[in-house]
Amino acid sequence: MSYDRVEVPSEGEAVELAEGEDELDVPERPIVPIIYGDGVGTDVGPAAQQVLSAAAEATGRSIEWMRVYAGASAREEYDTNLPEDTLDAFREFKVGIKGPLTTPVGAGYRSLNVALRQRLDLYANVRPTYYIDGVPSPVSEPEDMDMVSFRENTEDVYAGIEWEAGTEEVEQVREFVADEMGFGESIHEGDVGIGIKPISEFGTKRLVRRAIDYALERGRDTVTLVHKGNIMKFTEGTFRDWGYEVAEEEYGETVISEDTLWKEQDGEAAPGTVVVNDRIADNMLQQLLTRTGQYDVLAMPNLNGDYLSDSAGAQIGGLGIAPGANLGDGRFVAEPVHGSAPKYEGQDKVNPTAMILSGRIMLEHLGWEEASELIYDAVEEAILDKRLTYDIERQIEGAERVGTSEFADIVIENIERNA
Ligand code: NAP
């Protein structure tokens, strides 16, 4: 692959797909593309990068970073928001990491995050939500949360199929929907914006498969399909039905629907079996608070997944902590749940933990479990030492406030001491 304005590191090799398998062939010095991102991405990006390098080196490996651009930094370098160089680097090197990117509300360009996920076909957004000892939480038993959400990333109302009020296009769509499809009563007179919500069998099934595979690999007990199918019958309702189809038709006896479990096995699942059930999204939001420990792996359409995973993140300490990653077939891009928090840009203030722990998912994806464990322990130690960024510090009496880079330095010291 040739690149226009970025350099491929002279040392290091690409991660490859192992032939005939869904596994990676990971060199000792993989080349890993990184986007720092907009806003606070310029603070948390370099901080996380240093922590990940330290964890790799402490376990006898190294990461050859390839800096690539999107958002504001790309506009400076390329005069476009999402250069082909960046997409090509993630395609060629297969495993990478990105910070947050700003999306203007209402007008302006479309979400670069959505565009990146769509262009690279990163169809599953995965967010492990677990509690780290010492983090203040708004709930009384935050340690009950140990859940992984799989959010569909390429369709639903995020597909970007929408028309602005007052345009000729929206009038054509209104006419078609009202006159030809018979929904004249459903759209008010006057200006209206209209969007379309595609949810496909293909998109749903590959997402649910990914969630079930994860549950089987990691010894998780349940996969819950979260939908609003009582109201949106032909999109979210069908999401649920296709989800059950995958469970019932593709996994033999290792996966069973809750319904079959009760009808045929009196609710007793054999050890190692994954049970698939479903919940309506609004009920699920309250159940996450009241019955946190019952939920394990969730599979959701795009919008439900966006809301629900942020809310779950609040239960374990907020956006400064919550990590995530995007998966495609043979592609992986880690990214924190939080956005670019522009008011804090460049202040060396915000918490880099979410980006560090997103990098930790990346190390696990590379099979570097030891480095991943070192990071978890080092972050937990830093938190228990009460030397914390403002978001956590402000909630703990007697804690010392440190900046983004100082927090990363503390984590690195812990890694080096524990290695
Ligand atoms: P946000 O950037 O996540 O920030 C919301 C609030 O969360 C902040 O004001 C701050 O709370 C807290 N926060 C976020 N990151 C933090 C960190 N690292 N450490 C400590 N606290 C942190 O959400 P937003 O303000 O709704 O969105 C801003 C921009 O980011 C928008 O353009 C949005 O489109 C974009 N965005 C991008 C992504 C992505 O790239 N994947 C995701 C979400 C949003 P306090 O004010 O309480 O300090």
Side-chain angles (χ1 to χ4, degrees):
M1 199 106 46
S2 71
Y3 294 89
D4 193 12
R5 302 202 198 161
V6 287
E7 302 249 327
V8 177
S10 55
E11 308 268 352
E13 293 165 71
V15 170
E16 300 287 352
L17 297 180
E19 225 172 297
E21 293 172 67
D22 193 19
E23 278 181 22
L24 297 179
D25 191 354
V26 180
E28 289 294 293
R29 302 179 76 163
I31 295 172
V32 173
I34 181 167
I35 299 172
Y36 288 163
D38 292 331
V40 295
T42 57
D43 303 274
V44 298
Q49 184 180 11
Q50 283 167 25
V51 171
L52 295 170
S53 288
E57 274 153 33
T59 51
R61 300 180 169 104
S62 69
I63 300 172
E64 295 297 327
W65 296 102
M66 178 176 177
R67 175 104 189 263
V68 292
Y69 302 90
S73 63
R75 289 195 289 280
E76 280 164 27
E77 296 279 328
Y78 291 85
D79 209 21
T80 173
N81 280 314
L82 189 55
E84 288 303 315
D85 272 1
T86 300
L87 295 165
D88 284 344
F90 285 117
R91 286 186 189 113
E92 179 171 4
F93 298 105
K94 301 194 178 51
V95 174
I97 182 165
K98 69 171 277 289
L101 296 168
T102 297
T103 306
V105 177
Y109 54 87
R110 280 188 56 212
S111 166
L112 301 175
N113 301 300
V114 173
L116 194 114
R117 293 166 191 162
Q118 285 177 341
R119 295 282 308 276
L120 294 174
D121 202 19
L122 297 164
Y123 57 83
N125 184 256
V126 182
R127 294 178 171 177
T129 313
Y130 52 88
Y131 180 67
I132 299 179
D133 207 15
V135 177
S137 159
V139 299
S140 57
E141 285 162 353
E143 60 283 354
D144 284 355
M145 173 77 76
D146 180 12
M147 193 181 79
V148 182
S149 54
F150 281 73
R151 161 188 171 196
E152 204 291 325
N153 239 352
T154 60
E155 49 184 16
D156 198 355
V157 281
Y158 284 51
I161 313 172
E162 55 179 15
W163 298 274
E164 193 177 354
T167 59
E168 205 177 299
E169 288 85 355
V170 88
E171 286 313 315
Q172 276 177 25
V173 177
R174 184 212 291 260
E175 227 174 86
F176 174 74
V177 172
D179 301 343
E180 291 195 38
M181 304 306 287
F183 286 98
E185 308 266 299
S186 306
I187 306 178
H188 292 300
E189 287 298 315
D191 271 356
V192 61
I194 299 180
I196 285 194
K197 176 184 175 79
I199 293 209
S200 67
E201 178 177 10
F202 172 75
T204 300
K205 286 192 168 177
R206 66 178 177 172
L207 184 269
V208 174
R209 242 175 245 129
R210 209 79 204 215
I212 294 176
D213 289 346
Y214 180 95
L216 286 167
E217 277 161 27
R218 308 287 177 114
R220 298 274 185 163
D221 295 331
T222 60
V223 172
T224 303
L225 307 166
V226 183
H227 60 88
K228 190 73 188 162
N230 51 335
I231 306 296
M232 291 171 270
K233 296 181 194 301
F234 306 130
T235 49
E236 304 227 351
T238 320
F239 175 91
R240 183 198 66 164
D241 296 346
W242 282 323
Y244 277 126
E245 255 177 51
V246 171
E248 281 161 8
E249 292 173 6
E250 299 184 17
Y251 289 89
E253 288 178 0
T254 52
V255 177
I256 188 166
S257 70
E258 196 171 57
D259 195 37
T260 310
L261 182 73
W262 281 103
K263 276 188 193 141
E264 295 177 11
Q265 299 181 20
D266 281 340
E268 283 295 315
T273 310
V274 169
V275 177
V276 176
N277 56 23
D278 74 280
R279 297 287 180 271
I280 291 178
D282 40 353
N283 174 36
M284 184 67 211
L285 274 160
Q286 63 92 19
Q287 294 236 339
L288 258 195
L289 285 163
T290 55
R291 299 197 193 170
T292 313
Q294 280 188 10
Y295 294 98
D296 212 352
V297 175
L298 307 184
M300 297 171 276
N302 210 333
L303 180 65
N304 296 341
D306 197 1
Y307 291 165
L308 207 131
S309 56
D310 266 41
S311 169
Q315 284 178 240
I316 50 98
L319 291 181
I321 303 281
N326 301 293
L327 309 180
D329 289 329
R331 289 191 191 138
F332 175 99
V333 180
E335 71 171 329
V337 173
H338 68 73
S340 57
K343 66 184 177 186
Y344 295 132
E345 176 176 0
Q347 294 176 27
D348 193 27
K349 173 172 175 154
V350 299
N351 196 342
T353 302
M355 182 98 177
I356 293 170
L357 295 179
S358 303
R360 180 174 174 248
I361 309 176
M362 182 180 87
L363 300 186
E364 283 170 10
H365 188 70
L366 292 173
W368 295 3
E369 295 293 337
E370 201 190 338
S372 151
E373 282 308 306
L374 273 176
I375 290 180
Y376 181 88
D377 292 343
V379 167
E380 187 180 56
E381 252 176 75
I383 291 166
L384 291 172
D385 277 353
K386 298 189 183 176
R387 298 176 68 198
L388 303 159
T389 49
Y390 82 99
D391 53 321
I392 311 285
E393 178 269 344
R394 67 187 170 187
Q395 302 178 64
I396 300 183
E397 230 183 281
E400 178 193 345
R401 180 177 295 201
V402 300
T404 312
S405 51
E406 198 181 346
F407 184 82
D409 288 343
I410 295 167
V411 174
I412 291 170
E413 274 168 35
N414 294 345
I415 289 175
E416 288 170 352
R417 196 181 47 254
N418 295 340

